[in-house]
Amino acid sequence: PMTLPPTTAPQPEPPSSYIRTTTQSYISRAAHILGPDRVHAKGKSVIRPSVRIHGDYGAVVSIGRYCHLDEGVVIAPTVVDLEVAVDDDETKKNARENFPMSASSSSSSGFSTGFSNHRRRNRDAMMKQMRDRFLADLSPPNNNDNDNDKDNDNDNDAAKRTKPRQKALPLSIGSHTRICRNTVVRSLSIGSNVYVGSDCLLHPRSVVKDCCVIEDGTVIPPDMVVPPFSRVRGVPGRV
């Protein structure tokens, strides 16, 4: 009979590597909670090592009960310019037009099992490039109010005055939701009973309703609303 090679079981993390909160959530000591006063976890959740949650944007990040955030997950609120309305149709149109399509074609989800290795390598390279650019854009909003300041000739101060004022919007994650490894979330909201796979990108202003599955490597484009009980896959994601 065929014998399988021995496998080494992963070593469990010691309990001392986690902090237990008063709401019975377990947060890894290796996680990065920025602006913890604006990160509200309702309890019974697990936040693994290398997770980064941005509460330093000035908006509340709310996490429901019984959630699981896996290693490498990044959660940050959507940031909008105050000069541009959130529901501006022209802004949404430009965001969709500038959104990169699949490495194969604009009409394919990019995850067909019949894809060649060459196309898969192109897709993986594109996903890595998109993730790096996505993470590079993570910076707290600019809320400079220099209109009443005294004028000065400093070029840096002048540059600050010309930047548009920005505002971060609250981000909420429902209960019984799991977000897997290396996924970056910048949505407005994710519902309850949602499974988000590994290496996904959820762009600003996107909304995921309850009871959805986001497959591994999916990219949710800006302003997309995923209806309840949906399964999404592809670049960009399609129901």
mmCIF file of all heavy atoms in Angstrom, residues 191-237:
data_model
loop_
_atom_site.group_PDB
_atom_site.id
_atom_site.type_symbol
_atom_site.label_atom_id
_atom_site.label_comp_id
_atom_site.label_asym_id
_atom_site.label_seq_id
_atom_site.Cartn_x
_atom_site.Cartn_y
_atom_site.Cartn_z
ATOM 1 N N GLY A 191 -21.020 42.858 5.465
ATOM 2 C CA GLY A 191 -22.125 42.369 6.271
ATOM 3 C C GLY A 191 -21.747 41.214 7.182
ATOM 4 O O GLY A 191 -20.577 40.880 7.374
ATOM 5 N N SER A 192 -22.766 40.579 7.735
ATOM 6 C CA SER A 192 -22.583 39.421 8.617
ATOM 7 C C SER A 192 -22.571 38.134 7.802
ATOM 8 O O SER A 192 -23.092 38.076 6.689
ATOM 9 C CB SER A 192 -23.712 39.380 9.651
ATOM 10 O OG SER A 192 -23.684 40.529 10.466
ATOM 11 N N ASN A 193 -21.947 37.109 8.370
ATOM 12 C CA ASN A 193 -21.863 35.795 7.731
ATOM 13 C C ASN A 193 -21.232 35.900 6.339
ATOM 14 O O ASN A 193 -21.742 35.339 5.365
ATOM 15 C CB ASN A 193 -23.238 35.145 7.632
ATOM 16 C CG ASN A 193 -23.862 34.906 8.999
ATOM 17 O OD1 ASN A 193 -23.338 34.145 9.813
ATOM 18 N ND2 ASN A 193 -24.959 35.589 9.273
ATOM 19 N N VAL A 194 -20.140 36.623 6.255
ATOM 20 C CA VAL A 194 -19.424 36.814 4.996
ATOM 21 C C VAL A 194 -18.062 36.130 5.096
ATOM 22 O O VAL A 194 -17.389 36.212 6.121
ATOM 23 C CB VAL A 194 -19.242 38.317 4.681
ATOM 24 C CG1 VAL A 194 -18.353 38.509 3.450
ATOM 25 C CG2 VAL A 194 -20.594 38.980 4.455
ATOM 26 N N TYR A 195 -17.694 35.439 4.021
ATOM 27 C CA TYR A 195 -16.364 34.829 3.920
ATOM 28 C C TYR A 195 -15.594 35.556 2.823
ATOM 29 O O TYR A 195 -16.013 35.566 1.654
ATOM 30 C CB TYR A 195 -16.470 33.337 3.591
ATOM 31 C CG TYR A 195 -15.128 32.671 3.376
ATOM 32 C CD1 TYR A 195 -14.417 32.148 4.461
ATOM 33 C CD2 TYR A 195 -14.565 32.579 2.106
ATOM 34 C CE1 TYR A 195 -13.187 31.546 4.271
ATOM 35 C CE2 TYR A 195 -13.336 31.975 1.914
ATOM 36 C CZ TYR A 195 -12.648 31.465 3.000
ATOM 37 O OH TYR A 195 -11.428 30.873 2.808
ATOM 38 N N VAL A 196 -14.469 36.172 3.192
ATOM 39 C CA VAL A 196 -13.602 36.848 2.238
ATOM 40 C C VAL A 196 -12.306 36.046 2.161
ATOM 41 O O VAL A 196 -11.618 35.851 3.167
ATOM 42 C CB VAL A 196 -13.311 38.304 2.666
ATOM 43 C CG1 VAL A 196 -12.451 38.994 1.618
ATOM 44 C CG2 VAL A 196 -14.606 39.071 2.871
ATOM 45 N N GLY A 197 -11.975 35.564 0.958
ATOM 46 C CA GLY A 197 -10.823 34.703 0.777
ATOM 47 C C GLY A 197 -9.496 35.424 0.917
ATOM 48 O O GLY A 197 -9.425 36.610 1.255
ATOM 49 N N SER A 198 -8.426 34.706 0.606
ATOM 50 C CA SER A 198 -7.077 35.251 0.713
ATOM 51 C C SER A 198 -6.743 36.135 -0.483
ATOM 52 O O SER A 198 -7.284 35.958 -1.579
ATOM 53 C CB SER A 198 -6.056 34.107 0.800
ATOM 54 O OG SER A 198 -6.339 33.256 1.885
ATOM 55 N N ASP A 199 -5.838 37.085 -0.259
ATOM 56 C CA ASP A 199 -5.275 37.932 -1.330
ATOM 57 C C ASP A 199 -6.341 38.693 -2.097
ATOM 58 O O ASP A 199 -6.212 38.912 -3.305
ATOM 59 C CB ASP A 199 -4.443 37.080 -2.291
ATOM 60 C CG ASP A 199 -3.312 36.356 -1.585
ATOM 61 O OD1 ASP A 199 -2.519 37.024 -0.905
ATOM 62 O OD2 ASP A 199 -3.234 35.116 -1.698
ATOM 63 N N CYS A 200 -7.395 39.109 -1.428
ATOM 64 C CA CYS A 200 -8.440 39.911 -2.073
ATOM 65 C C CYS A 200 -8.171 41.397 -1.854
ATOM 66 O O CYS A 200 -7.512 41.787 -0.885
ATOM 67 C CB CYS A 200 -9.814 39.556 -1.513
ATOM 68 S SG CYS A 200 -10.357 37.866 -1.860
ATOM 69 N N LEU A 201 -8.692 42.217 -2.765
ATOM 70 C CA LEU A 201 -8.630 43.670 -2.630
ATOM 71 C C LEU A 201 -10.049 44.213 -2.711
ATOM 72 O O LEU A 201 -10.742 44.013 -3.709
ATOM 73 C CB LEU A 201 -7.774 44.290 -3.739
ATOM 74 C CG LEU A 201 -6.301 43.862 -3.817
ATOM 75 C CD1 LEU A 201 -5.621 44.554 -4.993
ATOM 76 C CD2 LEU A 201 -5.571 44.172 -2.526
ATOM 77 N N LEU A 202 -10.497 44.888 -1.669
ATOM 78 C CA LEU A 202 -11.825 45.488 -1.643
ATOM 79 C C LEU A 202 -11.637 47.003 -1.678
ATOM 80 O O LEU A 202 -11.179 47.602 -0.702
ATOM 81 C CB LEU A 202 -12.608 45.065 -0.398
ATOM 82 C CG LEU A 202 -13.276 43.682 -0.449
ATOM 83 C CD1 LEU A 202 -12.238 42.560 -0.497
ATOM 84 C CD2 LEU A 202 -14.191 43.483 0.740
ATOM 85 N N HIS A 203 -11.958 47.595 -2.826
ATOM 86 C CA HIS A 203 -11.648 48.992 -3.068
ATOM 87 C C HIS A 203 -12.589 49.930 -2.313
ATOM 88 O O HIS A 203 -13.651 49.520 -1.843
ATOM 89 C CB HIS A 203 -11.713 49.285 -4.575
ATOM 90 C CG HIS A 203 -10.445 48.936 -5.298
ATOM 91 N ND1 HIS A 203 -10.061 47.642 -5.518
ATOM 92 C CD2 HIS A 203 -9.461 49.718 -5.831
ATOM 93 C CE1 HIS A 203 -8.913 47.629 -6.173
ATOM 94 N NE2 HIS A 203 -8.522 48.878 -6.364
ATOM 95 N N PRO A 204 -12.194 51.215 -2.223
ATOM 96 C CA PRO A 204 -13.012 52.188 -1.501
ATOM 97 C C PRO A 204 -14.434 52.291 -2.040
ATOM 98 O O PRO A 204 -14.679 52.124 -3.225
ATOM 99 C CB PRO A 204 -12.247 53.506 -1.705
ATOM 100 C CG PRO A 204 -10.819 53.087 -1.899
ATOM 101 C CD PRO A 204 -10.903 51.798 -2.647
ATOM 102 N N ARG A 205 -15.344 52.556 -1.108
ATOM 103 C CA ARG A 205 -16.771 52.780 -1.371
ATOM 104 C C ARG A 205 -17.510 51.517 -1.772
ATOM 105 O O ARG A 205 -18.696 51.577 -2.086
ATOM 106 C CB ARG A 205 -16.994 53.882 -2.427
ATOM 107 C CG ARG A 205 -16.342 55.211 -2.095
ATOM 108 C CD ARG A 205 -16.660 56.279 -3.143
ATOM 109 N NE ARG A 205 -16.290 55.859 -4.484
ATOM 110 C CZ ARG A 205 -15.065 55.991 -4.992
ATOM 111 N NH1 ARG A 205 -14.090 56.490 -4.260
ATOM 112 N NH2 ARG A 205 -14.811 55.600 -6.234
ATOM 113 N N SER A 206 -16.847 50.369 -1.779
ATOM 114 C CA SER A 206 -17.548 49.124 -2.083
ATOM 115 C C SER A 206 -18.330 48.657 -0.852
ATOM 116 O O SER A 206 -18.002 48.991 0.286
ATOM 117 C CB SER A 206 -16.561 48.036 -2.520
ATOM 118 O OG SER A 206 -15.612 47.777 -1.496
ATOM 119 N N VAL A 207 -19.375 47.876 -1.103
ATOM 120 C CA VAL A 207 -20.250 47.372 -0.042
ATOM 121 C C VAL A 207 -20.506 45.896 -0.293
ATOM 122 O O VAL A 207 -20.860 45.497 -1.412
ATOM 123 C CB VAL A 207 -21.588 48.137 0.010
ATOM 124 C CG1 VAL A 207 -22.529 47.516 1.037
ATOM 125 C CG2 VAL A 207 -21.359 49.609 0.329
ATOM 126 N N VAL A 208 -20.322 45.076 0.725
ATOM 127 C CA VAL A 208 -20.615 43.642 0.646
ATOM 128 C C VAL A 208 -21.749 43.358 1.622
ATOM 129 O O VAL A 208 -21.605 43.577 2.831
ATOM 130 C CB VAL A 208 -19.377 42.793 0.978
ATOM 131 C CG1 VAL A 208 -19.718 41.303 0.889
ATOM 132 C CG2 VAL A 208 -18.220 43.132 0.046
ATOM 133 N N LYS A 209 -22.863 42.877 1.115
ATOM 134 C CA LYS A 209 -24.022 42.597 1.963
ATOM 135 C C LYS A 209 -23.841 41.268 2.709
ATOM 136 O O LYS A 209 -22.805 40.606 2.602
ATOM 137 C CB LYS A 209 -25.291 42.574 1.111
ATOM 138 C CG LYS A 209 -25.586 43.889 0.386
ATOM 139 C CD LYS A 209 -25.976 44.991 1.337
ATOM 140 C CE LYS A 209 -26.455 46.224 0.594
ATOM 141 N NZ LYS A 209 -26.895 47.300 1.516
ATOM 142 N N ASP A 210 -24.878 40.860 3.436
ATOM 143 C CA ASP A 210 -24.812 39.663 4.282
ATOM 144 C C ASP A 210 -24.731 38.378 3.453
ATOM 145 O O ASP A 210 -25.193 38.308 2.315
ATOM 146 C CB ASP A 210 -26.047 39.589 5.179
ATOM 147 C CG ASP A 210 -26.124 40.749 6.155
ATOM 148 O OD1 ASP A 210 -25.082 41.367 6.422
ATOM 149 O OD2 ASP A 210 -27.239 41.025 6.647
ATOM 150 N N CYS A 211 -24.141 37.356 4.081
ATOM 151 C CA CYS A 211 -24.159 35.979 3.565
ATOM 152 C C CYS A 211 -23.541 35.886 2.165
ATOM 153 O O CYS A 211 -24.144 35.321 1.246
ATOM 154 C CB CYS A 211 -25.579 35.432 3.553
ATOM 155 S SG CYS A 211 -26.415 35.518 5.149
ATOM 156 N N CYS A 212 -22.350 36.415 2.010
ATOM 157 C CA CYS A 212 -21.655 36.384 0.718
ATOM 158 C C CYS A 212 -20.337 35.628 0.843
ATOM 159 O O CYS A 212 -19.765 35.501 1.933
ATOM 160 C CB CYS A 212 -21.381 37.795 0.215
ATOM 161 S SG CYS A 212 -22.865 38.728 -0.224
ATOM 162 N N VAL A 213 -19.857 35.140 -0.304
ATOM 163 C CA VAL A 213 -18.549 34.497 -0.391
ATOM 164 C C VAL A 213 -17.724 35.244 -1.426
ATOM 165 O O VAL A 213 -18.144 35.367 -2.590
ATOM 166 C CB VAL A 213 -18.672 33.004 -0.775
ATOM 167 C CG1 VAL A 213 -17.287 32.400 -1.012
ATOM 168 C CG2 VAL A 213 -19.413 32.235 0.304
ATOM 169 N N ILE A 214 -16.567 35.746 -1.021
ATOM 170 C CA ILE A 214 -15.623 36.400 -1.927
ATOM 171 C C ILE A 214 -14.456 35.437 -2.100
ATOM 172 O O ILE A 214 -13.734 35.168 -1.142
ATOM 173 C CB ILE A 214 -15.135 37.753 -1.370
ATOM 174 C CG1 ILE A 214 -16.318 38.606 -0.873
ATOM 175 C CG2 ILE A 214 -14.317 38.488 -2.406
ATOM 176 C CD1 ILE A 214 -17.288 38.999 -1.933
ATOM 177 N N GLU A 215 -14.300 34.896 -3.289
ATOM 178 C CA GLU A 215 -13.283 33.871 -3.509
ATOM 179 C C GLU A 215 -11.869 34.445 -3.476
ATOM 180 O O GLU A 215 -11.673 35.663 -3.613
ATOM 181 C CB GLU A 215 -13.546 33.161 -4.838
ATOM 182 C CG GLU A 215 -14.844 32.388 -4.874
ATOM 183 C CD GLU A 215 -14.950 31.478 -6.083
ATOM 184 O OE1 GLU A 215 -13.938 31.304 -6.788
ATOM 185 O OE2 GLU A 215 -16.047 30.944 -6.322
ATOM 186 N N ASP A 216 -10.888 33.553 -3.308
ATOM 187 C CA ASP A 216 -9.489 33.961 -3.223
ATOM 188 C C ASP A 216 -9.076 34.780 -4.448
ATOM 189 O O ASP A 216 -9.434 34.449 -5.585
ATOM 190 C CB ASP A 216 -8.578 32.737 -3.124
ATOM 191 C CG ASP A 216 -8.774 31.969 -1.827
ATOM 192 O OD1 ASP A 216 -9.464 32.484 -0.926
ATOM 193 O OD2 ASP A 216 -8.233 30.848 -1.709
ATOM 194 N N GLY A 217 -8.301 35.840 -4.212
ATOM 195 C CA GLY A 217 -7.753 36.627 -5.305
ATOM 196 C C GLY A 217 -8.740 37.537 -6.001
ATOM 197 O O GLY A 217 -8.414 38.102 -7.042
ATOM 198 N N THR A 218 -9.914 37.721 -5.440
ATOM 199 C CA THR A 218 -10.923 38.576 -6.067
ATOM 200 C C THR A 218 -10.618 40.043 -5.787
ATOM 201 O O THR A 218 -10.147 40.400 -4.711
ATOM 202 C CB THR A 218 -12.322 38.219 -5.531
ATOM 203 O OG1 THR A 218 -12.623 36.871 -5.885
ATOM 204 C CG2 THR A 218 -13.386 39.139 -6.113
ATOM 205 N N VAL A 219 -10.905 40.879 -6.761
ATOM 206 C CA VAL A 219 -10.760 42.325 -6.601
ATOM 207 C C VAL A 219 -12.144 42.952 -6.751
ATOM 208 O O VAL A 219 -12.755 42.874 -7.826
ATOM 209 C CB VAL A 219 -9.788 42.917 -7.635
ATOM 210 C CG1 VAL A 219 -9.725 44.432 -7.506
ATOM 211 C CG2 VAL A 219 -8.399 42.310 -7.467
ATOM 212 N N ILE A 220 -12.636 43.554 -5.681
ATOM 213 C CA ILE A 220 -13.923 44.251 -5.710
ATOM 214 C C ILE A 220 -13.652 45.699 -6.122
ATOM 215 O O ILE A 220 -12.973 46.430 -5.397
ATOM 216 C CB ILE A 220 -14.615 44.201 -4.340
ATOM 217 C CG1 ILE A 220 -14.811 42.757 -3.885
ATOM 218 C CG2 ILE A 220 -15.947 44.934 -4.401
ATOM 219 C CD1 ILE A 220 -15.732 41.948 -4.749
ATOM 220 N N PRO A 221 -14.154 46.145 -7.270
ATOM 221 C CA PRO A 221 -13.839 47.501 -7.749
ATOM 222 C C PRO A 221 -14.553 48.573 -6.936
ATOM 223 O O PRO A 221 -15.465 48.274 -6.157
ATOM 224 C CB PRO A 221 -14.329 47.475 -9.199
ATOM 225 C CG PRO A 221 -15.392 46.433 -9.221
ATOM 226 C CD PRO A 221 -15.003 45.399 -8.212
ATOM 227 N N PRO A 222 -14.153 49.827 -7.096
ATOM 228 C CA PRO A 222 -14.813 50.917 -6.368
ATOM 229 C C PRO A 222 -16.306 50.983 -6.679
ATOM 230 O O PRO A 222 -16.734 50.727 -7.802
ATOM 231 C CB PRO A 222 -14.086 52.173 -6.888
ATOM 232 C CG PRO A 222 -12.765 51.676 -7.371
ATOM 233 C CD PRO A 222 -13.007 50.308 -7.905
ATOM 234 N N ASP A 223 -17.084 51.291 -5.643
ATOM 235 C CA ASP A 223 -18.526 51.535 -5.742
ATOM 236 C C ASP A 223 -19.344 50.282 -6.032
ATOM 237 O O ASP A 223 -20.558 50.383 -6.229
ATOM 238 C CB ASP A 223 -18.847 52.594 -6.806
ATOM 239 C CG ASP A 223 -18.141 53.906 -6.539
ATOM 240 O OD1 ASP A 223 -18.338 54.460 -5.452
ATOM 241 O OD2 ASP A 223 -17.383 54.364 -7.403
ATOM 242 N N MET A 224 -18.731 49.115 -6.060
ATOM 243 C CA MET A 224 -19.501 47.898 -6.309
ATOM 244 C C MET A 224 -20.292 47.526 -5.057
ATOM 245 O O MET A 224 -19.790 47.606 -3.936
ATOM 246 C CB MET A 224 -18.576 46.741 -6.689
ATOM 247 C CG MET A 224 -19.310 45.433 -6.950
ATOM 248 S SD MET A 224 -18.188 44.122 -7.518
ATOM 249 C CE MET A 224 -19.347 42.767 -7.738
ATOM 250 N N VAL A 225 -21.543 47.132 -5.258
ATOM 251 C CA VAL A 225 -22.393 46.647 -4.175
ATOM 252 C C VAL A 225 -22.689 45.176 -4.437
ATOM 253 O O VAL A 225 -23.298 44.827 -5.451
ATOM 254 C CB VAL A 225 -23.704 47.448 -4.081
ATOM 255 C CG1 VAL A 225 -24.596 46.880 -2.985
ATOM 256 C CG2 VAL A 225 -23.410 48.923 -3.818
ATOM 257 N N VAL A 226 -22.227 44.328 -3.546
ATOM 258 C CA VAL A 226 -22.438 42.885 -3.678
ATOM 259 C C VAL A 226 -23.739 42.532 -2.956
ATOM 260 O O VAL A 226 -23.842 42.709 -1.737
ATOM 261 C CB VAL A 226 -21.256 42.099 -3.093
ATOM 262 C CG1 VAL A 226 -21.498 40.598 -3.219
ATOM 263 C CG2 VAL A 226 -19.950 42.495 -3.777
ATOM 264 N N PRO A 227 -24.759 42.052 -3.671
ATOM 265 C CA PRO A 227 -26.047 41.757 -3.022
ATOM 266 C C PRO A 227 -25.945 40.553 -2.083
ATOM 267 O O PRO A 227 -25.004 39.757 -2.168
ATOM 268 C CB PRO A 227 -26.972 41.466 -4.210
ATOM 269 C CG PRO A 227 -26.067 41.066 -5.325
ATOM 270 C CD PRO A 227 -24.784 41.798 -5.119
ATOM 271 N N PRO A 228 -26.904 40.404 -1.182
ATOM 272 C CA PRO A 228 -26.877 39.267 -0.248
ATOM 273 C C PRO A 228 -26.893 37.923 -0.980
ATOM 274 O O PRO A 228 -27.400 37.814 -2.098
ATOM 275 C CB PRO A 228 -28.153 39.465 0.581
ATOM 276 C CG PRO A 228 -28.502 40.906 0.418
ATOM 277 C CD PRO A 228 -28.041 41.299 -0.941
ATOM 278 N N PHE A 229 -26.316 36.915 -0.333
ATOM 279 C CA PHE A 229 -26.299 35.540 -0.831
ATOM 280 C C PHE A 229 -25.621 35.450 -2.202
ATOM 281 O O PHE A 229 -26.076 34.718 -3.079
ATOM 282 C CB PHE A 229 -27.724 34.973 -0.902
ATOM 283 C CG PHE A 229 -28.435 34.975 0.420
ATOM 284 C CD1 PHE A 229 -29.328 35.983 0.738
ATOM 285 C CD2 PHE A 229 -28.192 33.984 1.353
ATOM 286 C CE1 PHE A 229 -29.975 36.001 1.962
ATOM 287 C CE2 PHE A 229 -28.835 33.985 2.583
ATOM 288 C CZ PHE A 229 -29.727 35.000 2.891
ATOM 289 N N SER A 230 -24.530 36.188 -2.371
ATOM 290 C CA SER A 230 -23.807 36.190 -3.648
ATOM 291 C C SER A 230 -22.448 35.524 -3.480
ATOM 292 O O SER A 230 -21.869 35.491 -2.394
ATOM 293 C CB SER A 230 -23.620 37.620 -4.167
ATOM 294 O OG SER A 230 -24.853 38.235 -4.419
ATOM 295 N N ARG A 231 -21.955 35.024 -4.606
ATOM 296 C CA ARG A 231 -20.601 34.469 -4.678
ATOM 297 C C ARG A 231 -19.859 35.273 -5.754
ATOM 298 O O ARG A 231 -20.322 35.366 -6.886
ATOM 299 C CB ARG A 231 -20.633 32.983 -5.048
ATOM 300 C CG ARG A 231 -19.295 32.283 -4.894
ATOM 301 C CD ARG A 231 -19.407 30.800 -5.258
ATOM 302 N NE ARG A 231 -18.215 30.083 -4.848
ATOM 303 C CZ ARG A 231 -18.092 29.433 -3.711
ATOM 304 N NH1 ARG A 231 -19.111 29.402 -2.858
ATOM 305 N NH2 ARG A 231 -16.978 28.803 -3.394
ATOM 306 N N VAL A 232 -18.723 35.855 -5.367
ATOM 307 C CA VAL A 232 -17.999 36.774 -6.248
ATOM 308 C C VAL A 232 -16.608 36.226 -6.503
ATOM 309 O O VAL A 232 -15.941 35.713 -5.609
ATOM 310 C CB VAL A 232 -17.911 38.180 -5.620
ATOM 311 C CG1 VAL A 232 -17.284 39.160 -6.588
ATOM 312 C CG2 VAL A 232 -19.288 38.669 -5.215
ATOM 313 N N ARG A 233 -16.177 36.355 -7.772
ATOM 314 C CA ARG A 233 -14.834 35.926 -8.125
ATOM 315 C C ARG A 233 -14.345 36.784 -9.300
ATOM 316 O O ARG A 233 -15.124 37.390 -10.027
ATOM 317 C CB ARG A 233 -14.820 34.446 -8.544
ATOM 318 C CG ARG A 233 -15.641 34.171 -9.775
ATOM 319 C CD ARG A 233 -15.755 32.696 -10.086
ATOM 320 N NE ARG A 233 -14.454 32.063 -10.285
ATOM 321 C CZ ARG A 233 -14.302 30.778 -10.622
ATOM 322 N NH1 ARG A 233 -15.377 30.024 -10.798
ATOM 323 N NH2 ARG A 233 -13.112 30.276 -10.788
ATOM 324 N N GLY A 234 -13.027 36.828 -9.489
ATOM 325 C CA GLY A 234 -12.471 37.464 -10.672
ATOM 326 C C GLY A 234 -11.844 38.808 -10.425
ATOM 327 O O GLY A 234 -11.865 39.373 -9.332
ATOM 328 N N VAL A 235 -11.224 39.329 -11.493
ATOM 329 C CA VAL A 235 -10.575 40.646 -11.500
ATOM 330 C C VAL A 235 -11.091 41.412 -12.700
ATOM 331 O O VAL A 235 -10.677 41.111 -13.831
ATOM 332 C CB VAL A 235 -9.038 40.508 -11.571
ATOM 333 C CG1 VAL A 235 -8.382 41.872 -11.508
ATOM 334 C CG2 VAL A 235 -8.508 39.607 -10.461
ATOM 335 N N PRO A 236 -11.977 42.364 -12.595
ATOM 336 C CA PRO A 236 -12.670 42.733 -11.361
ATOM 337 C C PRO A 236 -13.728 41.703 -10.971
ATOM 338 O O PRO A 236 -14.123 40.881 -11.794
ATOM 339 C CB PRO A 236 -13.320 44.079 -11.723
ATOM 340 C CG PRO A 236 -13.553 43.976 -13.199
ATOM 341 C CD PRO A 236 -12.383 43.186 -13.754
ATOM 342 N N GLY A 237 -14.169 41.745 -9.739
ATOM 343 C CA GLY A 237 -15.107 40.751 -9.239
ATOM 344 C C GLY A 237 -16.453 40.794 -9.941
ATOM 345 O O GLY A 237 -16.983 41.868 -10.227
#
